[in-house]
Amino acid sequence: MPLQQIIIDTDPGVDDILALLLALSASEEELKVLLITLTFGNTNVENCLMNLVSMFHVLELEQKWRLENGLSVGFGCLSAHKPIVAVGADRPLEEDKAIGGDYFRTFSPVPPRVVGLAPHFTPEQTWKHMFATTPVLKGDEEHPPNFRPTNSPAHKEILRILGDNPVDSVTIIAVGPLTNLALAAEEDPETFLRVKEVVVMGGNIDVPGNVTPCAEFNTVTCPHSAARIYSLTSPTPSSTAPSPSTTAKGLKPIPEILSRRLNLTIFPLDITSSHLLTQETFTSTIAPLLTCPSPSPLAQWTEIFVDATFATLRRIFTGKNIGNIGLSLHDPLCVYYVLTQQRGGWEALEDRDVRIETRGQWTRGMCVVDDRGKRVEMDVTNPVLLGDEGVWLHCGFGNRVRQMVKSPDEEGMAGEMLRRIYGGC
């Protein structure tokens, strides 16, 4: 399988961190993580940065620990190439401040738990000043050992990477609100469309939402950005983009015609929710790494916030007969797809006309899918096609989104993820 170059756009919470660890644990022959961009979402963008810097600090400790214990250092992808880290959007396109769902406020961000329970896993130096718009020079200060900070905004870094590399050579994995991607596409749509594929965790098609009855967290948090990105899959992007009257804060309207369509693959709740990490699987995996005289830093750190998440899930479902609790691997599944798509076994519905509702009081972030092209069987011997069926697509409009519906190994995905992250344990 050829080396894949990727950008990861993320709002690091629990499953985002697992997705990042899965990507960085790849071999240098599998992945090259060129850029990690941060957006608001699970928490504010400042906490997202602290989460990410803490993760890189723990990975430095982990690789030293493995070397001292005669183990394979792992994380070949990270060892071979230090990714750039850029800070991006701190609010949705249409609002003055970030909003969030009450359900997700129960999932505290990583740093408070790590700082409170294991302060030695929080780095003394966070290099925060290196991300400032006007960086503060610190003389001969040492730079981060395993990532490269930049003070350039995330969306500009996305465009720079896409512009500096050949067309169709960089994949974007987006596992948070799509605000950074929308800003990049707004500034320079033709450069943005040089991307090979945009892989998105977001939305819900035939299952309920997880924040509202209609919507999934990433899409409801910034529906305008999702709507703008989805519209780039249409032959006539302006026909499915949010109307000009709702264009946010001077953003340019989506062009009527572009040189090519966006190759967009979505992983909605329909597929991600069934890919689970149970507490039993997680605990049995890391137990040997915690009982040795010198425990694994990575196992200790991840145990803190993963176990805390399981504890929160138990509180939410107290009194309900649900059996073994599982953490849905929403974000890691997108990385797993990029790592394993050449194996086969992935199944998708092609050219789905999925649009994002941006203005509904109760339906903000809802995925609206045009299924009217199906034949209506009024009589087995005399099927009738309704006169207005499939108008969107039949008129040459409509988005063309690939919806992933099946993975090659729903049961084994969590196990492979853990083996990769914890060094073949």
Side-chain angles (χ1 to χ4, degrees), residues 2 32 38 47 49 211 266 301 327 336 343 366 418:
K32 185 177 184 180
L38 299 176
N47 275 345
L49 178 58
V211 173
I266 63 169
W301 186 66
L327 170 64
Y336 186 68
R343 297 181 190 172
M366 178 181 180
L418 295 178

Side-chain angles (χ1 to χ4, degrees), residues 189-261:
E190 291 294 348
T191 296
F192 183 77
L193 290 175
R194 292 170 63 89
V195 68
K196 176 182 178 182
E197 180 180 15
V198 174
V199 179
V200 169
M201 190 282 122
N204 54 296
I205 308 298
D206 295 315
V207 300
N210 58 3
V211 173
T212 72
C214 295
E216 175 273 334
F217 178 77
N218 288 336
T219 53
V220 81
T221 300
C222 190
H224 280 81
S225 65
R228 289 174 74 94
I229 291 299
Y230 280 44
S231 74
L232 297 178
T233 68
S234 172
T236 53
S238 61
S239 69
T240 64
S243 65
S245 63
T246 63
T247 299
K249 298 177 183 175
L251 291 182
K252 293 178 288 189
I254 295 289
E256 290 187 15
I257 301 293
L258 290 166
S259 64
R260 58 188 288 182
R261 293 190 290 111

